[in-house]
Structure formats: C-alpha cells, structure tokens
Amino acid sequence: MPDMGPRPTEEISDLLVEDRTFAPSPAFAKAASMRDPDIRSKAAADMERFWADAAGELDWMRPWDKVLDWNPPNARWFVGGRINASYNCCDRHVENGMRNKAAIIWEGEPGDRRVITYWGLYREVNKFANALKDLGVKKGDRVAIYLPMIPEAVVSMLACARIGAVHTVVFGGFSAEALRDRINDAGAKVLITADGGYRRGQILPLKHDADYAVRETPCIQHVVIVQRGNFPLRVVDKRDHWYHRLIQNAANYCPPEPCDSEDPLYILYTSGTTGKPKGIVHTTGGYMTGVHATTKLVFDLKPTDVYWCTADVGWVTGHSYLVYGPLAAGATCVMYEGAPDWPDRDRFWGMVEEYGVTILYTAPTAIRAFMKWGADWPKKHDLSSLRLLGSVGEPINPEAWMWYYEHIGGQRCPIVDTWWQTETGMIMVTTLPGTDAMKPGAAGRPLPGLSIEVLNAAGEKVTIGGGLLAITKPWPAMLRGIWGDSERYRTQYWSKWDIGTYFAADGAKVAPNGYITFLGRVDDVLNVAGHRIGTMEIESALVDNPAVAEAAAIGIGHAIKGQALVVFVTLKEGYRPTATLESELKDHVVRKIGAIARPERIILSADLPKTRSGKIMRRLLRDIGEGRVLGDTTTLADAETVNHLKQAYEEGEE
Ligand code: PRX
C-alpha cells in the first residue's frame, strides 16, 4: 500500500472516492507496537495459544488448567484460573513502579478537576470495597450503580470487582422506571447513586429518581450517595449512607477476592427485539484478557499516552475502554462529566490541548455534531498531541471520517473504526493502526485471534458482497449469557445457523481484501445517536399509556443522530389527536425509558397499515417517514390507511 502521508486540504474532497484508502503515516507505522503484517495469520494458526499469551500479560492468582472449554453455545475460558479484575487495574501498577502515575484525569462539567494516581485509585477502591462488605455485600451479590461520569463510578465498579460482587451500571440518562426494572431483574442488594450530576448546565436529579425507583425494588437494602454537588435531597434513615462517610470509616486494605475465571464480573442491560432489555453477563478472566489485549493492540497504547474515551460508564464502551481495558494496561485516562458543547462547542478541543491527549476514542454522532458546528472550533486549539483517533457505536460515514481525519487528526493520525457490541465485550473488527490501510466507511478486518465471516441467510460464506455478520469461533470476552434467561441467550444469538455460530444481527458487506463495511442492524433495534434502542421497548412503553391503542416505532435517517425515532400511534376510542397529546406521549416515553428514547416525532393516526394477516407493515412506515415513493401495497388490508398516514406525516412536517 503506498504511503499517502499528509496532503493539502484542497485535495481532501477528491479523496471521497469509494475505493480510496489511507496508509498510516511512516512515522506512526515505525513507532507502532504491532508492526507484524502477518499477525492475523500467525494468530489463526493457534488461536488458543494467541489468547493464552494475551492472558499471560495479566496477573493471575492461580494459573488456568485449560484455555477453552467450548460446549456450544457455552464457553469457559481459562478454566480453573483465578483472577481479580481490581487487582489487575490497581494493585499491580502500584507494585510495579506506577504508584504516582495518573490513572484518571477527571474534569467536571463546571470546570472542577481531579487527578487520581494509581495509588489514589488503589486506596479508594480498597476502602470502598470494605465499606460495601460492611453493608453486607458478599461475593456474587449484585450492586446497581447509577452515577454521573465522576471518578466514584470507576471506584464503585472496581470495588465490586475486588470483593467478587457483580455490578450493573445503569446509564444516568435512564429514567427511574428503567432503573427500577434493571435493579429488580438483577436482584441488586445495594444501589450506589449521587445527589446529582451536571449536564449542559442542568442538574440531573439522580438521587430523586433513585428514590422513586427504590420504592418498588424490595431487593435493595442500602443506598449509597456520592456527594457530587450540594443538591437538595432526602436521606432515608438506616437505608441511605453518604459515600464519603463510609470511606472515612472503612479500613485501608481489602484483600482482593480470588475469583474464578468464569465468575461474573458484571451485568449490563442492553436493548433487544422484545420490550424487555437483556442483562448481558460478562465474566472475569476471558473478559479482562480480551479488553486488555485489544486496548493495547487497537489503540497502540504506550506508557506515555494520555488516553481519552468519551463514552459514559453506563455503556459497554465505558466498561471495556474507559475502565477495565485501559486501567489493566496502566494507562492515564481522561474522564469528563458533561456535554461537548458546554459552555462552548470547543470543550473537547480545549481539554485535548490542556491535558495533551494523545488518543481520542469517540462516536460518529459526536463527530457529525462537531462537523456541523464547524472546523473553527477545533482550530482554536493546539491538537498536535493527538496521534490516534477512534470511532465506535455505529457506522461512520465517509464524510464524517474525512472531517475527523483532517480537522481533528491533522491528517497524521490513523483512525480506528471499531466494530463490536455489548455482547462481544471487546473490539472485534477494525484496522491495526500500525500496519493496515484505512478505508473511510469500512471498519476493517477481524482482529487477530478471531474468526468472523459474512454469511448469507443459508449460512454460506460470502466472499464478496453483502450478508450477515457471524462469529464462527468463541472469543474470550464473549457474553456468557443473558441474566436469568438462558433460553433467550440460545435463541437470540446461536440459532440463526448452527449452534456454534454467533448471529450479531448486523448487516455487513465484505470486499475482496476482507474489509468489512457495516450496514446497520437487521433486527428491530435502532441506533439513535449511538444509543441502542429496541423498537419494541418504545412500543410497549407507549401502549402502557391509556390513550394508546397501538404503536409502531421506526428509525429514519438523521444527519447527526444517524437514526431518529419516529412513532406511529393509533388512539383508543374517545381520545382526540392533539398537539398536547402528542407531547404528552413523548414525555410518557421519557418517563418509561429516559430522555435518550424521546421520539423525534409521534404521528397520531386513525389506523396503521397492516397485511391481511394483521402484521404492521414497517417498511411502508419507513417509506413514509423517509419521504420515499411508496412501496408495494398490494398485500395491504386497507390501502387507504397509507394515504391518510402519508398526509398526516406531511402535514406535521410543514
Ligand atoms: O450495529 C452495530 C453498531 O452498534 C451495535 C452494538 O451496539 P451496543 O451493544 O450498544 O455497543 C455499542 C458500542 C460497542 C452493533 O450491533 N456498531 C457498533 N460499532 C460500530 C457499529 N456499526 C458500525 N460500525 C461500528 N464501528
């Protein structure tokens, strides 16, 4: 591959040609830790060996007897091994000369700052682990975490890991009802929350929502409150405890629990094709191996890097690439509490300059927003410390890729477009930044040690063209199940083809050189601003409202969010379609799920287009939503419905 190197700005627009590729600059390639172009084939020759070597970079309390036990669809990795995730993220760095290295450089939205060294992190994690024990938390118990992006979120996760408790982090943007359902599903004993958090200058009333949730969570015995601000709240005697008081009173050292490699580390809820979110279960040894190895490999992480993953700890990206991967690798991580446009649209760039960030990992939806705000914002800052950029969460369109490459990366930083899922736990498909050429819009190839293919519906391998993404061999950070629902685990992921082949529910296209372009979900899951939302969740939230008879949620293309949520709703007898009702219904969805699920539009209609057998024709709704010429309506029960709907939609748009 010829070296493209830096090039003048005027040429950039010419580069948006379908098959244009970019090589990493010679300077980057020369300094990269992984420079072996044959690493994939070498790993493929003995995959178990490859992962055993990766596991060997972690500290184990007892070595494993067997690398992999694969009884499809159930895998066990590093069988018999004992390991502690918090030990690997704190203790070993303190012992290995990194005691004074910054583990977390944190900035709050109002501008307050904290730098926590590995020693500081170690100390706080130990103390909080003891505090949790004092509250009666034991190995295997579940602890729910509902916090803003503050260091205590990381401490809470690691403190649970230290004692073998299983955390379930609930994104702070989820509503009280969503929190309640997740707590009950996981059967959490303790809830860790905060008096509030800052977002775009407003206060997120987390404790207030937590109180509401806990009224209907009989499993919760204690609530721990981190004091983020000085926000008003109600403290319930005996049940509620201030975090800082617990820390003050806790003993300094808590021995790390020697967890079995297969002991669960966490449960993380994500949307699927039913109304009920799935609790994805990740275990310890394989997960830590996968995230540690990929953090180093994909981000070319070096001891001197300042690494910033902008994801919230409430999502899997925050778990794997803000907490467990980089901290196990001893990285210095930047963490930011608030919005990218607060108080101004250059908040990120000011922080990159201020902290000398070298690696930035963010989402296409953010990049598209930056693009819309204009290149003058990043131009105000010196971004020359950056050496590598990453993208995650949804396909990055070539225009956004080019903008990121030019205006943020100064045409010198490779971009890793990383495909993975909550279920995969770790990055699965991308380019290796020191060796692989990048193709805007295409994620790249499967990482070493993985077996990933594009298959057609019949399960035959597609070598060129479109199909469905399949993972054909187990991988260390793979989900081990759905909490409390092993049947759903099997049917959802392992029943599309043979029992040993994982169905990712992503459409994908493969090029002759093996590069994979992702085409979006093929199930009823939407990706709105990088957030995964199930259409069924929205629909069940709406039919729960007394006014609603039926609802059909669809995603339509959106310039910044990737997809926007539009819902067609039919009303029950006696309700009239009004603008007030429409906004009430939007609020209703926010109350049931959270602000991330607020529909862009709700179209109230007399009827929904259905086939004669009574199935809602979503394709038609999408055609209406995206203003396309209507598709084939011959199977429609009442063709008139479509015309009425189309009219209602267009009127609403005016
Ligand atoms: O459709 C894919 C999309 O996000 C889905 C997974 O969402 P979630 O479990 O919330 O995890 C997001 C962070 C890993 C996938 O099924 N997706 C994620 N990354 C990419 C992507 N689509 C295209 N390109 C990506 N880089």
Side-chain angles (χ1 to χ4, degrees):
M1 194 61 59
D3 169 43
M4 303 295 179
R7 57 185 58 74
T9 310
E10 315 80 76
E11 281 182 35
I12 291 286
S13 54
D14 302 339
L15 297 175
L16 281 176
V17 189
E18 257 285 283
D19 55 5
R20 195 67 190 253
T21 58
F22 294 75
S25 74
F28 186 95
K30 195 157 161 258
S33 309
M34 174 50 67
R35 288 193 297 263
D36 183 354
D38 300 323
I39 178 68
R40 288 184 172 84
S41 52
K42 285 181 185 160
D46 190 346
M47 281 188 178
E48 289 192 17
R49 175 72 194 272
F50 177 82
W51 289 117
D53 288 347
E57 291 191 16
L58 297 172
D59 283 18
W60 293 75
M61 290 151 154
R62 183 189 183 279
W64 58 89
D65 304 313
K66 194 174 176 210
V67 174
L68 172 65
D69 176 31
W70 180 222
N71 179 16
N74 299 305
R76 292 193 302 153
W77 281 87
F78 309 112
V79 184
R82 295 204 161 254
I83 185 168
N84 184 281
S86 110
Y87 181 89
N88 276 279
C89 292
C90 308
D91 306 41
R92 67 173 185 153
H93 306 315
V94 168
E95 288 161 17
N96 292 342
M98 297 205 298
R99 184 187 166 91
N100 297 325
K101 182 177 180 179
I104 300 173
I105 298 177
W106 175 82
E107 199 170 286
E109 197 186 69
D112 41 345
R113 295 171 183 189
R114 285 162 69 187
V115 176
I116 299 167
T117 60
Y118 272 99
W119 168 254
L121 184 65
Y122 165 83
R123 210 173 140 73
E124 185 107 347
V125 167
N126 271 279
K127 281 173 160 277
F128 194 47
N130 278 328
L132 289 175
K133 270 187 174 171
D134 293 344
L135 292 178
V137 180
K138 296 196 180 57
K139 183 167 183 223
D141 285 345
R142 274 81 58 210
V143 172
I145 299 175
Y146 186 58
L147 285 172
M149 279 285 282
I150 53 177
E152 287 79 359
V154 180
V155 171
S156 300
M157 292 162 79
L158 294 176
C160 289
R162 194 161 191 91
I163 59 175
V166 182
H167 59 69
T168 183
V169 183
V170 179
F171 172 58
F174 277 120
S175 69
E177 290 191 29
L179 172 65
R180 174 198 64 197
D181 295 347
R182 284 158 178 76
I183 289 175
N184 284 333
D185 190 81
K189 206 167 178 179
V190 168
L191 168 64
I192 306 166
T193 186
D195 54 350
Y198 291 96
R199 184 78 194 179
R200 209 164 270 120
Q202 304 283 313
I203 294 158
L204 287 178
L206 293 170
K207 174 63 163 69
H208 175 268
D209 286 359
D211 282 340
Y212 186 87
V214 169
R215 285 196 316 207
E216 292 171 14
T217 57
C219 47
I220 290 288
Q221 296 172 8
H222 296 282
V223 176
V224 177
I225 320 158
V226 179
Q227 188 168 26
R228 164 70 187 107
N230 237 330
F231 312 130
L233 51 78
R234 194 171 57 99
V235 176
V236 177
D237 202 27
K238 293 203 171 65
R239 189 199 71 183
D240 294 359
H241 313 264
W242 285 105
Y243 173 92
H244 55 273
R245 294 254 166 79
L246 294 178
I247 291 275
Q248 255 166 22
N249 299 329
N252 282 344
Y253 181 67
C254 172
E257 181 70 31
C259 296
D260 187 277
S261 179
E262 284 298 323
D263 278 344
L265 178 62
Y266 67 80
I267 303 169
L268 185 60
Y269 286 86
T270 189
S271 297
T273 47
T274 71
K276 190 172 174 285
K278 304 178 278 196
I280 302 299
V281 178
H282 281 292
T283 59
T284 313
Y287 175 81
M288 289 302 289
T289 299
V291 298
H292 174 257
T294 49
T295 301
K296 289 177 71 169
L297 194 61
V298 174
F299 301 109
D300 184 44
L301 190 74
K302 303 216 165 45
T304 46
D305 275 312
V306 178
Y307 165 93
W308 185 12
C309 165
T310 68
D312 193 284
V313 282
W315 308 113
V316 75
T317 308
H319 283 62
S320 299
Y321 297 107
L322 169 62
V323 181
Y324 290 111
L327 293 178
T332 291
C333 305
V334 172
M335 182 178 187
Y336 170 55
E337 179 186 30
D341 55 350
W342 192 266
D344 259 318
R345 290 169 166 181
D346 59 346
R347 182 65 185 259
F348 273 25
W349 319 125
M351 284 180 61
V352 167
E353 180 175 7
E354 178 74 18
Y355 301 118
V357 173
T358 57
I359 301 170
L360 178 71
Y361 189 31
T362 194
T365 186
I367 299 165
R368 288 191 295 262
F370 298 139
M371 217 171 135
K372 186 174 155 222
W373 299 338
D376 285 346
W377 292 104
K379 245 189 224 128
K380 286 165 62 168
H381 298 275
D382 177 5
L383 305 182
S384 61
S385 57
L386 287 170
R387 63 179 198 91
L388 182 110
L389 303 174
S391 170
V392 59
E394 55 180 307
I396 176 164
N397 46 311
E399 293 75 11
W401 194 103
M402 287 307 309
W403 192 91
Y404 197 30
Y405 184 71
E406 182 184 5
H407 296 288
I408 307 304
Q411 300 174 39
R412 86 187 161 270
C413 306
I415 297 178
V416 286
D417 173 5
T418 61
W419 178 89
W420 58 296
Q421 308 178 305
T422 305
E423 292 88 341
T424 69
M426 63 189 240
I427 298 171
M428 303 296 279
V429 177
T430 189
T431 45
L432 290 175
T435 57
D436 297 352
M438 298 159 277
K439 185 175 180 312
R445 286 180 292 159
L447 282 178
L450 303 178
S451 183
I452 296 179
E453 281 164 8
V454 175
L455 302 180
N456 64 18
E460 292 149 352
K461 182 173 172 163
V462 176
T463 44
I464 307 176
L468 301 167
L469 195 90
I471 311 176
T472 52
K473 292 213 170 98
W475 65 103
M478 64 191 273
L479 75 164
R480 299 300 198 272
I482 295 175
W483 184 257
D485 198 345
S486 52
E487 190 45 36
R488 194 173 174 197
Y489 169 69
R490 175 183 287 264
T491 52
Q492 196 103 68
Y493 302 111
W494 305 96
S495 301
K496 178 90 188 163
W497 302 289
D498 64 90
I499 188 77
T501 302
Y502 174 88
F503 171 59
D506 266 45
K509 194 171 77 181
V510 62
N513 63 357
Y515 274 48
I516 299 173
T517 297
F518 287 89
L519 305 170
R521 302 282 303 197
V522 296
D523 56 1
D524 293 326
V525 169
L526 305 180
N527 197 328
V528 178
H531 296 145
R532 192 165 147 178
I533 300 174
T535 51
M536 276 291 283
E537 270 175 85
I538 307 285
E539 291 163 11
S540 5
L542 275 164
V543 294
D544 172 74
N545 185 287
V548 176
E550 223 176 6
I554 57 157
I556 63 163
H558 187 278
I560 292 182
K561 296 180 181 176
Q563 281 190 306
L565 182 61
V566 173
V567 198
F568 292 83
V569 166
T570 62
L571 298 175
K572 282 194 187 139
E573 206 66 44
Y575 288 91
R576 281 186 345 101
T578 61
T580 324
L581 181 60
E582 196 179 315
S583 81
E584 258 174 47
L585 292 180
K586 284 185 184 172
D587 291 344
H588 180 83
V589 177
V590 173
R591 203 160 46 244
K592 297 283 290 173
I593 304 174
I596 50 165
R598 178 184 286 277
E600 191 89 354
R601 290 194 58 195
I602 289 188
I603 293 117
L604 303 172
S605 78
D607 207 352
L608 289 173
K610 289 199 185 129
T611 60
R612 290 191 185 97
S613 62
K615 258 186 94 179
I616 297 174
M617 297 181 82
R618 286 166 198 281
R619 178 179 50 80
L620 265 181
L621 294 177
R622 267 192 295 273
D623 283 344
I624 296 167
E626 297 192 332
R628 277 193 297 270
V629 183
L630 295 183
D632 178 22
T633 54
T634 47
T635 46
L636 201 62
D638 173 13
E640 266 303 282
T641 307
V642 177
N643 293 328
H644 288 144
L645 267 179
K646 198 165 175 302
Q647 209 178 341
Y649 189 89
E650 283 160 1
E651 278 164 11
E653 273 202 320
E654 276 157 17

